[in-house]
Amino acid sequence: MKLTKKSHACVRLEKDGRTLVLDPGVFTEEDAVLGADALLVTHEHPDHFDGERLRAALEANPAAEIWTLRSVAGQLAAAFPGRVHTVGHGDSFTAAGFDVEVHGELHAVIHPDIPRVTNVGFLVDGAVFHPGDALTVPGRPVDTLLLPVMAPWNKISEVIDYVREVKPRRAYDIHDALLTDLARPIYDRQIGELGGADHARLAPGASAEL
C-alpha cells in the first residue's frame, strides 16, 4: 500500500491500481481528490470535509463512492443516490478494494462550552488508522497510526500518551497545518523520544510504502 500525505488531515492510499482518499478539507490541495475511487470523511468540520471537493470527485468519477457519518452524508446523499453511505462505530465495509473498520463516536473536547460533534475513525486493511479529531484507541494492533499532532483540542503530552496507548509500529503526522516550522522540531523530538514508536513526518505530496 502506498500512502501519500496531503496538506493537513488528508491522506491518499493506493493499492492494486485503486485510490482511497481520507478527509479532504479546505486546507487540502484541490487535486487531493482527483482519481479517487472511494472517499472517507471522519466528521463535519471544514478542515476535514469540503463539500465542493467531494462533489467534484463524485462528478469526475461516476463509480466513486463516499463513506461517512450521518452529519456529512446528509449534506451529499440527495445529489448522489446510492453513492453516499452512512457508517458508525462498529461497522465494517469494503471500499475500492480496501477493508475498512469504523471506530469511535465523538469529537475530542475543544472546550466544555462547545458542543461535541460526532466523529469516527477509520482502520484501513487492519493496518492504517485515521482517528479524525479524536484520540480513539481502536482496540486492536495498528501498524501505522496517522497522528493528529496539533489541534485546538489537544496538547503534546496527550499526543505522546496516545501513541503509547495505541502502540503502532510507526506514526505519521497529520492535522499539522497550524503547526509552524519553528515548532516542528520540538514535536518531532518529543514524540519520537517519548512515544515509543517510529515517528515520521511527510511533507505534503510526499509518499511512503507501507
Side-chain angles (χ1 to χ4, degrees):
M1 190 190 308
K2 178 181 178 182
L3 180 150
T4 300
K5 172 76 165 64
K6 306 301 284 187
S7 290
H8 199 51
C10 180
V11 298
R12 290 171 62 97
L13 298 175
E14 298 173 67
K15 182 185 71 171
D16 299 332
R18 307 193 76 185
T19 300
L20 178 70
V21 177
L22 296 95
D23 276 10
V26 296
F27 298 154
T28 303
E29 300 83 357
E30 291 188 8
D31 67 355
V33 298
L34 294 182
D37 298 292
L39 301 107
L40 310 181
V41 179
T42 62
H43 67 290
E44 65 198 75
H45 287 163
D47 57 327
H48 297 253
F49 162 53
D50 183 339
E52 291 187 7
R53 295 183 192 190
L54 293 175
R55 291 183 186 94
L58 293 178
E59 290 168 356
N61 179 5
E65 299 178 71
I66 295 175
W67 283 261
T68 185
L69 35 65
R70 187 175 305 279
S71 59
V72 172
Q75 301 182 50
L76 299 168
F80 302 97
R83 299 173 63 192
V84 181
H85 310 281
T86 301
V87 296
H89 177 68
D91 289 341
S92 59
F93 56 91
T94 300
F98 296 85
D99 294 325
V100 184
E101 296 178 5
V102 184
H103 296 268
E105 298 180 84
L106 289 172
H107 192 288
V109 174
I110 301 171
H111 186 276
D113 290 352
I114 299 175
R116 296 172 73 183
V117 300
T118 50
N119 177 96
V120 293
F122 295 107
L123 179 62
V124 180
D125 279 352
V128 180
F129 186 58
H130 190 311
D133 273 6
L135 301 180
T136 301
V137 178
R140 55 174 293 177
V142 172
D143 185 74
T144 302
L145 175 64
L146 302 178
L147 182 65
V149 291
M150 195 277 180
W153 49 266
N154 72 17
K155 57 185 179 180
I156 195 168
S157 64
E158 296 170 336
V159 173
I160 292 166
D161 286 345
Y162 182 52
V163 178
R164 289 179 173 182
E165 189 170 6
V166 176
K167 297 181 177 66
R169 186 167 67 87
R170 67 166 75 86
Y172 284 114
D173 288 354
I174 60 168
H175 214 287
D176 56 356
L178 302 181
L179 189 64
T180 71
D181 289 340
L182 288 174
R184 287 183 184 276
I186 299 171
Y187 276 69
D188 291 345
R189 183 178 69 255
Q190 293 187 355
I191 296 171
E193 291 179 356
L194 300 174
D198 180 28
H199 171 252
R201 172 163 47 88
L202 293 172
S207 299
E209 295 292 335
L210 305 182

